[in-house]
Amino acid sequence: MNQDTLRLSKLLADRGICSRRTAEEWILKGWVTVDGKVHTNLAERVSSTADVNVSQVAYKKKFWTILLNKPVGYVSAQPEDGQTPAIRLLKPENIEDKLPQDFQFHHIIKMPVAGRLDIDSKGLLVFTQDGVIARKLVGNEKEIEKEYLVRVVGEITEAKIKKLCFGLSIDGEELRPARIERSNYDDLLKFNLIEGKKRQIRRMCELVDLQVTSLKRIRIGNVQLGNLSDGKWRFLGENEAF
């Protein structure tokens, strides 16, 4: 197999044009050309340096991205018995935004969540139909920094902060370096992480004899939670990007 060739859907995704799933849809609809010729065969391989163009028709499809201030007590994705998924908060009475004319509430019935936030944590949670954004936030090559306000019980020392920043392992795997800072409050820390293992911050704190009493995500990449109220949501702004 020629290593300089790859499937067209992967080429589109690698170039950041769209997700592979979206690319497959565009290819099947005849919206993608390679060196001037329409390609509709998903299995066909093309040169990694090929001249690829996407019809403007494809870009007219609107992909919605929603920012929610998730309260404690809601799960990010698939709920277990007795749990409530956060997507149920995406209803008209909870919006803190202007509703675009071309938006209909059936658009969000199956809107995927891009990332997770524990049931006992609160703050910024993203739902998106945009494959590029989803890949950036939860893909294997994600490098998006997330910021959290973490209130703890226990003595906070410089030695503990230094260890939280680098030197801890979870499940036998060394954690990537983090940025942890003190705040203006004695019991509040600011965590800035690139990775996001399950309950990572709580487990990190336990390793240095600190107990988390509240955890709030306030930023993902360049997108801030800002003054979005608890349980409310808004659309990602045209001038915002992760």
Side-chain angles (χ1 to χ4, degrees), residues 53-79:
N53 286 284
V54 178
S55 169
Q56 289 301 310
V57 175
Y59 294 112
K60 290 181 180 180
K61 181 178 179 180
K62 183 70 174 181
F63 296 106
W64 302 101
T65 297
I66 286 174
L67 311 177
L68 170 71
N69 186 352
K70 185 190 87 67
V72 171
Y74 290 81
V75 294
S76 301
Q78 295 297 326

Side-chain angles (χ1 to χ4, degrees), residues 112-182:
V113 62
R116 62 175 179 261
L117 200 56
D118 294 334
I119 190 171
D120 47 2
S121 300
K122 58 186 177 180
L124 183 56
L125 188 63
V126 179
F127 295 84
T128 187
Q129 299 167 328
D130 190 321
V132 174
I133 290 177
R135 186 167 180 259
K136 191 172 185 179
L137 296 184
V138 298
N140 293 332
E141 299 176 0
K142 61 182 183 295
E143 291 289 336
I144 299 294
E145 185 179 74
K146 302 178 181 68
E147 185 174 356
Y148 304 81
L149 295 179
V150 183
R151 199 172 296 277
V152 299
V153 171
E155 183 184 6
I156 300 175
T157 65
E158 292 303 319
K160 289 182 179 181
I161 292 177
K162 184 177 180 180
K163 196 167 186 179
L164 286 168
C165 290
F166 183 71
L168 295 178
S169 297
I170 292 179
D171 297 331
E173 184 176 346
E174 188 175 279
L175 298 178
R176 298 179 65 175
R179 289 193 300 115
I180 290 91
E181 305 170 356
R182 291 180 180 268

Side-chain angles (χ1 to χ4, degrees), residues 185-202:
Y185 300 92
D186 292 340
D187 61 346
L188 191 65
L189 294 171
K190 292 182 180 180
F191 274 69
N192 294 271
L193 306 178
I194 290 179
E195 63 188 340
K197 298 182 182 300
K198 188 174 182 179
R199 301 182 68 83
Q200 178 173 333
I201 292 177
R202 298 176 189 276

Side-chain angles (χ1 to χ4, degrees), residues 213-229:
T213 59
S214 71
L215 189 156
K216 182 177 184 179
R217 184 159 64 200
I218 61 171
R219 178 177 62 84
I220 299 178
N222 297 314
V223 176
Q224 302 274 352
L225 177 65
N227 58 3
L228 188 62
S229 302

Side-chain angles (χ1 to χ4, degrees), residues 228-242:
L228 188 62
S229 302
D230 193 45
K232 304 297 184 180
W233 61 276
R234 68 175 178 86
F235 295 100
L236 181 71
E238 292 183 359
N239 297 322
E240 291 181 294
F242 292 98

